[in-house]
Amino acid sequence: MDKLPDFKRHRRLRVSAAMRSMVRENHLRPEDFIYPIFVSEGKNVKYEVPSMPGVYQLSLDLLQEEIEEVVRLGIKSVILFGVISDKDEIGSGAFADKGIIQEATRLIKKIAPALLVVADTCLCEYTSHGHCGVIHQHDVDNDESLKLLAKTAVSQARSGADIIAPSNMMDGFVTVIRQALDEAGFQNIPIMSYAVKYASAFYGPFRDAADSTPQFGDRKSYQMDPANREEALREAETDIAEGADFLIVKPTMSYLDIVRDVRNLCHIPVVGYNVSGEYAMVKAAARNGWIDEKKMVMETLLSMKRAGCELIITYFAKDVCKWLKED
């Protein structure tokens, strides 16, 4: 063939690293990440979660070093989970004035006042049965649970939490918590709703980290069926109408289609939760030399940004910020 037909030359924008950088559509930045921290009772506790290499349960006396590293790396927000031993049927440790999350929040605000503290608002880490609410006739009582979740949210706000993140998946949780916060004088505290939370197999390592495994049954009566897509939109629409300020999609890696659906639906920030099982798989494969961890993580998190996540909750946050500094 003497002359090739006319065609588009898309490779012109890929000819060099500088050109590729110029036209790159999505980027990862330290301020994109929310870093999860597991705060434990006791002293001198730094317990590495076996299924989550590099993730620790930390006691309050060791929290300062962790927070200082987070700030030094440029991370702007953390989300807190509590680990306690004295649990009861109603999860009273969640809303105790001197509860582990309340105390951790006060301490963080002294160490790094500008760091945004997101408080996970649920009961499962504090109940003796491991479910996200009050048990009645062997099932979670939605409306009775809402009263305790609202009490928890107000307690967390009083301790200095900047954002309330209810993860319980009870019907009506956003509107009840919004009303409780407003009545307590916290009209300016936003709600980061776990609007779309699937009953996923990817949560296993988290339950080790937070000691929150259900003691009977499962959470399928209140978390979503992984087979469903339209249900996610109904959940998101409801939370927007009830006053949510952010929407979380959890998990994220296997639910990027849902992220895009939610992003197309709303005009408030969408948050992806890169969950424990997703983290553990990458760490395990990297330790066996099967993958390039850095490249895999960066590509995975970029896929979440590309799908529509403005923010990402990820256990990789510190690693990624270190890699960004190196690059």
Side-chain angles (χ1 to χ4, degrees):
M1 182 181 294
D2 295 329
K3 182 179 180 182
L4 294 173
D6 291 336
F7 51 83
K8 298 291 185 181
R9 293 191 179 273
H10 299 291
R11 290 180 58 189
R12 290 171 182 154
L13 301 184
R14 304 173 194 149
V15 295
S16 67
M19 184 70 75
R20 292 190 294 273
S21 178
M22 175 183 285
V23 300
R24 186 161 294 139
E25 298 173 27
N26 293 282
H27 300 81
L28 296 174
R29 308 168 303 163
E31 53 265 40
D32 295 332
F33 305 123
I34 302 172
Y35 182 59
I37 297 178
F38 296 93
V39 188
S40 175
E41 294 177 322
K43 290 185 177 182
N44 200 34
V45 175
K46 187 174 182 179
Y47 171 71
E48 186 173 26
V49 181
S51 54
M52 299 178 70
V55 174
Y56 296 85
Q57 296 175 355
L58 295 170
S59 52
L60 291 172
D61 57 312
L62 299 183
L63 196 54
Q64 180 164 345
E65 183 179 351
E66 179 81 343
I67 295 303
E68 288 175 347
E69 182 183 20
V70 163
V71 171
R72 188 167 60 250
L73 289 171
I75 297 169
K76 304 300 183 183
S77 55
V78 296
I79 183 167
L80 302 182
F81 301 94
V83 183
I84 67 170
S85 56
D86 187 15
K87 306 185 181 190
D88 58 32
E89 289 293 305
I90 63 170
S92 59
F95 48 84
D97 180 59
K98 294 188 176 180
I100 190 67
I101 295 304
Q102 288 78 357
E103 295 284 34
T105 301
R106 294 185 189 104
L107 178 58
I108 290 171
K109 283 300 175 182
K110 290 180 180 177
I111 299 168
L115 185 66
L116 290 174
V117 174
V118 182
D120 179 80
T121 306
C122 197
L123 302 178
C124 62
E125 298 144 53
Y126 311 95
T127 55
S128 53
H129 46 74
H131 280 282
C132 301
V134 179
I135 299 298
H136 180 66
Q137 295 183 348
H138 218 62
D139 192 19
V140 176
D141 187 316
N142 191 93
D143 295 6
E144 286 301 310
S145 300
L146 289 176
K147 298 173 185 177
L148 298 182
L149 291 163
K151 192 174 180 180
T152 300
V154 171
S155 174
Q156 292 170 335
R158 284 193 179 125
S159 70
D162 298 287
I163 299 172
I164 298 301
S167 60
N168 51 86
M169 287 297 285
M170 297 297 110
D171 290 336
F173 69 91
V174 173
T175 194
V176 169
I177 288 174
R178 182 71 272 160
Q179 180 180 344
L181 289 171
D182 290 352
E183 290 177 353
F186 296 109
Q187 295 91 341
N188 291 328
I189 298 292
I191 294 175
M192 182 181 285
S193 167
Y194 285 71
V196 180
K197 184 177 180 181
Y198 285 90
S200 172
F202 286 96
Y203 301 153
F206 174 90
R207 291 171 183 167
D208 293 339
D211 189 22
S212 61
T213 303
Q215 297 304 298
F216 66 88
D218 53 42
R219 295 174 177 156
K220 293 181 180 179
S221 69
Y222 46 101
Q223 294 179 0
M224 291 171 47
D225 185 340
N228 294 351
R229 180 182 179 187
E230 294 296 329
E231 183 183 8
L233 299 181
R234 295 197 299 272
E235 289 280 359
E237 288 174 333
T238 297
D239 286 10
I240 293 167
E242 292 182 357
D245 301 284
F246 305 79
L247 298 181
I248 295 175
V249 177
K250 179 182 181 184
T252 304
M253 191 166 72
S254 293
Y255 295 83
L256 293 177
D257 59 324
I258 306 301
V259 171
R260 175 44 57 184
D261 286 343
V262 172
R263 173 70 280 156
N264 290 341
L265 172 75
C266 73
H267 300 286
I268 61 176
V270 175
V271 184
Y273 198 140
N274 180 210
V275 299
S276 60
E278 297 167 350
Y279 174 87
M281 289 191 302
V282 172
K283 284 291 185 182
R287 286 194 167 190
N288 279 290
W290 297 336
I291 61 168
D292 183 314
E293 180 179 351
K294 176 181 175 181
K295 290 181 179 179
M296 178 75 78
V297 171
M298 299 297 268
E299 184 175 339
T300 299
L301 297 182
L302 273 171
S303 76
M304 297 175 190
K305 289 292 295 290
R306 191 180 65 244
C309 293
E310 278 90 357
L311 298 166
I312 303 171
I313 302 170
T314 178
Y315 305 96
F316 286 115
K318 292 198 301 183
D319 290 336
V320 173
C321 289
K322 292 173 185 174
W323 294 331
L324 290 173
K325 285 180 180 290
E326 290 172 2
D327 292 342

